[in-house]
Amino acid sequence: MKALNISCKKAAEYMCKKEEGSLGFWQNFQLSYHLLVCGLCRIFKQQDQWLKDNICKVDEHCKGCLSEEDKKAILEKLR
Amino acid sequence: MFEQKATEWVNSYSDMLYRYALPRVSDSDVAKDLVQETFLAAWRNIKTFKGEISEKNWLFTILKNKIIDHYRKAVNRLTDSFPGMADDDPYFEEGGHWAKETQPKEWGVDYNNPIEAKEFYEVLEKCKSKLKEMQNAVFTMKYMEGMESEEICKELNITPSNYWVLLHRAKVQLRACLEKNWFVK
């Protein structure tokens, strides 16, 4: 059983690797077991997935724009 | 002719290019510089533009390359170890279990739905800007640019083990920052 146990820190790293299929069979087994017994990492996994799904929405909500001075400066550089 | 074209470009595309760059580099001055460099590079190469893609897509392609160049320069500036790679990790105890004060807490949201409040995305941008530059670079290239890990390692000239540590630490820090500043105040 001891060989099955991994820390939460290691589990967070394995979750990253699993996304890209870079997790070996045994590591995958260790991660699955850890998630079964660790409620905190189950919460982390759910929130991590939600964050990845929503990060690109930052683009939709970014309302910044350049000032007229900034635009003039670009035009000056282009001349 | 020149004046008209340049003005048309700047008026039509500068704001959207800036809005693309800003969340990726998390610094308004850097974002402005990258937009300016994008226009300059496009202007210098306008004769090679064949019109196979739209002007807008062409400018965005140039900007994306400029953003990756910016990250690459950030890596090259680091002569010693990467910030964000140190062994001490405030989010975990010595044995690797969650530190008591940073243990994930339930957010009380429906994880199947996005949040629409614009204030949330301002907090998210602020949290992202607090990441170490290298962590931000790896996180952005992976999740905002959709690049594969091999490509990111190659572009930034980092090892796969550095990549995994930077990425998972970026995610742990970002999650904790959102929890502290939005979900569980």
Side-chain angles (χ1 to χ4, degrees):
Chain A
M1 278 306 264
K2 205 175 175 184
L4 258 183
N5 288 331
I6 54 171
S7 67
C8 299
K9 188 175 176 176
K10 189 54 85 180
E13 193 184 322
Y14 282 4
M15 282 182 230
C16 263
K17 289 184 174 177
K18 192 174 178 175
E19 281 172 38
E20 290 195 44
S22 301
L23 203 59
F25 176 80
W26 178 245
Q27 291 174 326
N28 204 4
F29 197 62
Q30 287 176 309
L31 176 62
S32 300
Y33 176 73
H34 184 87
L35 287 171
L36 199 68
V37 297
C38 181
L40 293 176
C41 283
R42 283 200 300 276
I43 295 175
F44 175 80
K45 184 176 181 255
Q46 201 169 30
Q47 293 171 346
D48 181 51
Q49 186 58 51
W50 182 87
L51 184 59
K52 284 180 287 185
D53 292 343
N54 285 280
I55 188 69
C56 283
K57 292 194 180 295
V58 167
D59 283 337
E60 293 167 28
H61 289 83
C62 181
K63 301 292 178 212
C65 57
L66 294 175
S67 67
E68 286 309 309
E69 275 180 17
D70 294 328
K71 290 179 186 178
K72 272 183 197 163
I74 295 172
L75 282 169
E76 278 302 315
K77 287 265 180 187
L78 291 178
R79 278 190 188 110
Chain B
M1 176 64 189
F2 156 81
E3 193 70 36
Q4 194 186 350
K5 188 70 184 166
T7 308
E8 184 194 315
W9 268 14
V10 172
N11 286 339
S12 302
Y13 304 121
S14 61
D15 284 340
M16 62 176 91
L17 291 169
Y18 176 70
R19 282 197 285 269
Y20 186 86
L22 184 58
R24 283 161 178 77
V25 296
S26 303
D27 182 305
S28 63
D29 289 334
V30 173
K32 282 177 197 174
D33 287 346
L34 291 173
V35 171
Q36 186 166 294
E37 286 172 26
T38 298
F39 280 118
L40 285 171
W43 200 249
R44 277 196 295 269
N45 294 295
I46 197 158
K47 284 180 184 157
T48 64
F49 177 63
K50 304 264 191 303
E52 287 153 342
I53 54 171
S54 66
E55 267 180 3
K56 180 180 153 185
N57 286 349
W58 183 52
L59 288 167
F60 269 95
T61 303
I62 298 170
L63 177 61
K64 285 177 187 184
N65 287 327
K66 294 280 172 199
I67 290 170
I68 292 172
D69 276 347
H70 165 76
Y71 293 145
R72 206 180 287 129
K73 282 175 194 161
V75 179
N76 290 339
R77 279 199 300 271
L78 302 169
T79 51
D80 203 354
S81 62
F82 292 151
M85 288 291 295
D87 283 340
D88 60 312
D89 190 332
Y91 300 95
F92 296 95
E93 290 171 352
E94 210 174 323
H97 292 281
W98 293 102
K100 202 174 177 185
E101 57 279 12
T102 57
Q103 286 179 350
K105 297 176 184 69
E106 277 293 357
W107 287 350
V109 295
D110 177 0
Y111 292 111
N112 295 314
N113 286 313
I115 288 181
E116 295 301 338
K118 72 174 175 47
E119 294 84 1
F120 169 75
Y121 291 93
E122 287 166 13
V123 173
L124 179 51
E125 265 194 73
K126 272 190 193 141
C127 285
K128 194 168 168 292
S129 73
K130 286 180 191 165
L131 295 176
K132 300 272 190 310
E133 201 168 19
M134 282 302 301
Q135 292 175 333
N136 200 359
V138 167
F139 182 86
T140 304
M141 289 166 92
K142 174 68 189 160
Y143 296 114
M144 296 182 79
E145 297 300 323
M147 293 168 69
E148 295 293 335
S149 57
E150 290 87 358
E151 206 182 349
I152 298 171
C153 290
K154 195 177 154 198
E155 290 287 0
L156 299 180
N157 196 24
I158 58 175
T159 64
S161 60
N162 282 344
Y163 166 83
W164 293 117
V165 174
L166 287 165
L167 185 64
H168 106 259
R169 288 193 178 182
K171 294 202 295 183
V172 167
Q173 187 179 323
L174 201 52
R175 192 214 67 82
C177 180
L178 285 175
E179 185 166 284
K180 188 179 166 192
N181 292 289
W182 182 266
F183 292 106
V184 188
K185 283 186 187 174

